[in-house]
Amino acid sequence: MNGAQDLGGMMGFGQVAGEPEGEVFHADWEKRALALTIASGALGEWNIDMSRHARETLHPTDYLASSYYEVWIKGLEKLLVARGLVTSEEMAASSVLHAPRPTSPPLAAADVAPALAKGTPCDRPPQAPARFKVGEAVRTLNVNPSGHTRLPRYARGKRGRIERVHGVFIFPDANAHGLGPSAQWLYLVCFPASELWGREGDPALDVSIDAWESYLEGAAG
Amino acid sequence: MGSVPPPIGGDNHAQRHDHDDGGLADIELRVRALESLMIEKGYVDPAALDAIVETYETKIGPRNGARVVARSWADPAFRRWLNEDATAAIGSLGYSGRQGEHMTAVENTADVHNLVVCTLCSCYPWPVLGLPPVWYKSAPYRSRAVIDPRGVLAEFGLRLPASTKIRVWDSTAEIRYLVVPLRPAGTEGWSEERLAALVSRDSMVGAGLATDPASLAGEAAA
């Protein structure tokens, strides 16, 4: 969706403010927001693409006015309500009003390290040969889906070249909407800045995205 | 600007803020309330929450990545492995899992400088760099890294010659990119531990270079 999360190429946000390496959190609530997000995710009630979609469907003014951990918490609240785990009334009242819904057991402290070390691999075995090969010219589709997509606006309808074939990966555009993994070939596609930004493009800049096969069509040359 | 919709949970947040909150901001109250609900309903274990925080405060951070880079500088066989199968090479040092399931290492050269961004969210290689800094997740960086990376780098104090090519990697999928900065001159024969001390977090995102050892010598003498 063309939401506030799709920031590439926008202007007017000002300078980038660096920060020292040792500053992991800036307030205690950020620690709790991180931990709650990870531990809630471990219930298996949603996947990472659903999480991203919950965040990007915040109202654009809300998204842009929120710090990133605030975005996470607001997204988490939406997921919890959508899954029937917590109700809006409970959040408003800050107290439990309904019995918990049965779920898988909560993540135990002893399982945190192994769960984090294992992660959630998103690659899948190929079921068909890759359509494109390294070096081939491709064009990204000019699409504007109302649902989740990982094809940023600045890279739609653009001509680039396949630089690597990453393998077959879960397709977020489907997975975010409960339509299953629908795994597809994933490619590294590289564009010269002039293709993305026209005459303002830095002549010594290339930008790449990772693009699923259905984002791409063949391009002459 | 349109009006911001009321946060989920309604106006009670604002009302609660008016009394008995000890001066806490709305978001602090909101997170605290949600945590209490989740614990009371049995969906999360508070000990697990503490373990997650402790992991990212003390165990998983950019020193992991610095050790990967130092090994790559010091060991040609490891460097080849890192370039061919970064996930396995990094895993051999004990760094794996969440947000680093599919790693790719990209080496800076004399001619090409790499910079990593996630314009759509905050994708970042956690096992090697830890949690992303605020700037990496912020609108200024995410908006400009793909259109004006030279300007962004200048704000980090890094002014590259116009002839240096810049390659920006927008992390739009589950591939996570680790920049391997150029090894500084004058470090021949250094141990991996000494080399790792030259590798900053920013240099592994591409927002900086490895530290010049001459500047370290200056600090030691000071």
Side-chain angles (χ1 to χ4, degrees):
Chain A
M1 63 175 286
N2 296 345
Q5 86 290 349
D6 189 356
L7 289 167
M10 284 184 72
M11 297 176 184
F13 289 111
Q15 293 207 337
V16 179
E19 64 183 314
E21 196 166 307
E23 288 182 13
V24 180
F25 298 103
H26 299 83
D28 278 345
W29 70 264
E30 292 187 349
K31 303 178 187 181
R32 310 317 288 177
L34 169 86
L36 267 180
T37 300
I38 292 177
S40 303
L43 292 169
E45 294 279 330
W46 52 80
N47 59 52
I48 190 166
D49 300 305
M50 293 173 180
S51 288
R52 292 194 181 120
H53 193 54
R55 295 166 193 159
E56 72 198 15
T57 48
L58 290 171
H59 192 282
T61 53
D62 195 14
Y63 184 95
L64 291 171
S66 302
S67 76
Y68 212 79
Y69 283 119
E70 284 181 71
V71 169
W72 273 25
I73 280 296
K74 292 171 182 178
L76 176 60
E77 288 175 343
K78 288 169 68 166
L79 292 166
L80 291 169
V81 170
R83 297 297 300 164
L85 297 173
V86 177
T87 66
S88 301
E89 293 73 26
E90 288 177 312
M91 284 190 245
S94 294
S95 61
V96 174
L97 304 173
H98 307 281
R101 186 166 76 56
T103 60
S104 59
L107 179 66
D111 295 331
V112 166
L116 294 177
K118 182 164 172 274
T120 310
C122 300
D123 54 340
R124 294 292 181 269
Q127 303 293 324
R131 180 177 164 195
F132 303 109
K133 59 182 187 298
V134 170
E136 202 167 339
V138 291
R139 184 176 296 278
T140 54
L141 299 185
N142 180 10
V143 287
N144 289 276
S146 58
H148 184 63
T149 186
R150 296 293 290 180
L151 180 59
R153 269 176 285 187
Y154 77 85
R156 294 179 190 167
K158 304 297 185 188
R159 192 171 183 280
R161 238 169 240 290
I162 303 282
E163 205 171 82
R164 292 181 202 181
V165 182
H166 285 306
V168 172
F169 284 77
I170 291 174
F171 184 47
D173 305 40
N175 200 43
H177 299 287
L179 302 175
S182 306
Q184 295 185 11
W185 285 97
L186 179 73
Y187 304 88
L188 179 67
V189 183
C190 194
F191 309 88
S194 58
E195 173 71 11
L196 302 176
W197 311 114
R199 65 184 180 190
E200 280 85 13
D202 183 333
L205 169 65
D206 287 334
V207 178
S208 63
I209 64 168
D210 294 320
W212 278 266
E213 193 163 272
S214 64
Y215 294 168
L216 304 172
E217 60 187 2
Chain B
M1 293 275 282
S3 64
V4 178
I8 293 163
D11 293 338
N12 279 4
H13 288 288
Q15 286 162 21
R16 270 206 315 272
H17 194 220
D18 289 335
H19 59 85
D20 196 32
D21 61 11
L24 296 179
D26 282 355
I27 187 65
E28 295 181 82
L29 294 171
R30 189 167 175 169
V31 173
R32 186 177 288 184
L34 189 63
E35 181 178 349
S36 299
L37 279 174
M38 294 292 287
I39 292 169
E40 202 177 329
K41 296 193 92 165
Y43 298 139
V44 299
D45 175 350
L49 300 180
D50 294 339
I52 292 166
V53 172
E54 200 215 338
T55 300
Y56 288 104
E57 279 194 313
T58 65
K59 296 192 178 76
I60 300 181
R63 292 303 90 209
N64 294 2
R67 284 189 277 272
V68 172
V69 170
R71 174 70 57 90
S72 170
W73 285 346
D75 179 345
F78 183 83
R79 180 183 168 198
R80 277 194 300 277
W81 192 14
L82 186 66
N83 287 331
E84 283 162 17
D85 185 352
T87 311
I90 291 168
S92 75
L93 298 184
Y95 314 133
S96 68
R98 189 182 179 93
Q99 288 302 305
E101 294 92 343
H102 310 285
M103 291 295 305
T104 291
V106 293
E107 287 186 343
N108 286 346
T109 68
D111 303 318
V112 179
H113 183 87
N114 294 289
L115 181 69
V116 180
V117 65
C118 172
T119 61
L120 295 174
C121 51
S122 62
C123 297
Y124 191 75
W126 290 16
V128 281
L129 297 188
L131 300 171
V134 171
W135 58 260
Y136 186 85
K137 304 179 281 186
S138 71
Y141 183 75
R142 287 164 55 195
S143 62
R144 289 173 53 216
V146 287
I147 190 171
D148 180 26
R150 249 173 249 276
V152 168
L153 292 175
E155 283 160 24
F156 280 94
L158 179 55
R159 285 175 179 78
L160 296 173
S163 59
T164 301
K165 285 189 177 173
I166 298 184
R167 168 60 179 274
V168 173
W169 305 73
D170 190 355
S171 311
T172 55
E174 300 303 331
I175 313 297
R176 296 290 168 267
Y177 295 97
L178 176 73
V179 174
V180 178
L182 276 177
R183 178 175 180 164
T187 59
E188 294 74 18
W190 281 35
S191 69
E192 286 182 30
E193 194 182 346
R194 281 183 82 197
L195 290 169
L198 304 177
V199 184
S200 67
R201 174 197 62 204
D202 290 358
S203 73
M204 293 181 281
V205 182
L209 304 177
T211 308
D212 179 352
S215 72
L216 283 186
E219 276 172 28

